[in-house]
Amino acid sequence: MVASIAASAFFPAQSSSSVASVKTSKIIGEGPESLNVGGIVAKPASSSGAMQVKVNAQAVPKINGTKVGLKSEFLKAEDDASSSAPRTFYNQLPDWSVLLAAITTIFLAAEKQWTLLDWKPRRPDMLADAFGLGKIVQDGLAFRQNFSIRSYEIGADRTASIETLMNHLQETALNHVKIAGLMDDGFGATPEMSKRNLIWVVAKMHVFVEKYPSWADVVQVDTWVGSSGKNGMRRDWHVVDCQTGETIVRATSVWVMMNKQTRKLSKMPDEVRAEIGPYFIERTAIIDEDSRKLPKLHDDTAQYVREGLTPRWADLDVNQHVNNVKYIGWILESAPTTIMESHELAGMTLEYRRECGRDNVLKSLTSVNNRPGGSEGAGMECVHLLRLEGGDEIVRGRTQWRPKSARVFDNKGPLPVGSS
């Protein structure tokens, strides 16, 4: 039946009415010239057979009891030509151009689907879990996730900002808890923590940046946890370039628990330790941590001060306090522009003293010193303090800076207008 339908599309059957119409028109006029355009009067070919038929335009004419369908001269000429042409195999063949176009369309559609299924990136590292939530590695004791550096995450020197890298660290920490099946309804809180209204807060962090990735680079972030004292948890990160394997960032941090309602620090319950204890490993990303005490800055000892810093609604996390990555941006607000232009951040040590809420107003203080044991042009060191305008400390910090590579601005120059 399918074959008959397909054949009928290319070999249309001629209807009996159209055949009868052609034959009748032959009888009346014996040619297309005997019927005018209006189809009203038909004249005989010669004067001998004088017969004239007048047809009412609103009535269907009949000849010998048969209805005659009148057509225009153009259509009638086509019928006469088709009826007069011999019916051979050649003129009954279908229009091959239509058949070829149909075959070509089917072929192109199939090729497109195959291309989508068999697509491979030009750079294999671009799809190295670049869009996934990561995976558990090292016998279930570590977590790994890849990130692609976006165009909106790079700065004036064409590299990713320190805030971007810190966001990657925080994202992997949360996804580690989620993939391990320990996340409840809190922001990284385990089920036993949620029962007791406990949340994690960062107390201390060391970060060392070996190099900054550029736009479209893919970085691989590994993270793991361990014990820190009796009531704390240590979390470490190691970030590498997916293509070269070079180390980008090494970081370690200490986290403690805080009661979500009272906003006070809490001891680690045994039930919580039983949940996270099996994931602890004794390995650190930074062997030689900066153990120097962070000095406290005052208005009269700080060289640079930035006042009137206020949190935005977007700066708050689900625990209703300012995200710890935001503090880094506020600390750098008071850093001198000359250092930012000529140096890049190589490392930092942060001590978080208290949380910051939505209605707080902050002040950022910075003092610049030469790096201990180095020449004046080798690097710089800054001491920072972020505090409330009332005097309560939020974060103490120390940052190390190294000169930027000369190729960043001298060889490449600024981005051209219209580039993206």
Side-chain angles (χ1 to χ4, degrees), residues 6-7 13 34 47 57 82 97 115 126 134 178 219 221 240-241 255 260 265 274 293 297 338 350 352 357 373:
S34 62
S47 59
S82 62
S97 61
T115 302
M126 291 300 291
K178 181 178 181 180
V219 298
V221 184
V240 299
D241 189 306
W255 297 74
K260 192 174 181 179
L265 297 182
K293 184 178 179 180
L297 287 180
T338 55
L350 303 176
Y352 295 84

Side-chain angles (χ1 to χ4, degrees), residues 204-221:
K204 192 173 185 178
M205 180 170 288
H206 295 277
V207 180
F208 292 95
V209 183
E210 300 289 340
K211 58 172 289 187
Y212 285 86
S214 303
W215 176 30
D217 287 347
V218 178
V219 298
Q220 174 184 290
V221 184

Side-chain angles (χ1 to χ4, degrees), residues 335-348:
T337 306
T338 55
I339 294 182
M340 304 285 286
E341 292 177 345
S342 60
H343 291 66
E344 65 182 8
L345 184 63
M348 62 180 177

Side-chain angles (χ1 to χ4, degrees), residues 41-186:
V41 179
K43 296 182 180 180
S46 62
S47 59
S48 59
M51 182 183 71
Q52 187 175 13
V53 181
K54 293 185 178 180
V55 184
N56 189 347
Q58 297 180 354
V60 180
K62 295 183 179 180
I63 298 178
N64 297 329
T66 303
K67 294 183 180 181
V68 179
L70 300 179
K71 302 180 180 180
S72 64
E73 291 185 2
F74 179 75
L75 297 177
K76 199 170 189 308
E78 286 187 349
D79 291 340
D80 292 341
S82 62
S83 61
S84 61
R87 298 185 62 182
T88 64
F89 176 77
Y90 177 78
N91 60 21
Q92 292 298 317
L93 290 177
D95 189 348
W96 291 108
S97 61
V98 176
L99 182 60
L100 180 61
I103 295 175
T104 304
T105 302
I106 296 174
F107 176 77
L108 293 177
E111 184 181 23
K112 182 177 180 181
Q113 292 297 326
W114 179 260
T115 302
L116 292 175
L117 293 175
D118 197 46
W119 179 80
K120 292 182 178 61
R122 295 182 179 179
R123 287 175 50 184
D125 59 291
M126 291 300 291
L127 280 187
D129 194 37
F131 309 106
L133 291 178
K135 57 184 178 180
I136 300 293
V137 295
Q138 299 180 10
D139 298 328
L141 298 178
F143 178 77
R144 176 174 296 168
Q145 186 172 0
N146 293 350
F147 296 91
S148 178
I149 305 302
R150 312 298 182 182
S151 60
Y152 51 82
E153 295 174 331
I154 63 174
D157 54 359
R158 302 171 180 264
T159 58
S161 63
I162 184 62
E163 289 90 345
T164 295
L165 300 179
M166 296 299 294
N167 282 326
H168 291 168
L169 303 187
Q170 180 172 277
E171 182 70 9
T172 53
L174 292 173
N175 287 335
H176 184 193
V177 179
K178 181 178 181 180
I179 296 299
L182 295 177
M183 181 176 289
D184 197 59
D185 58 350

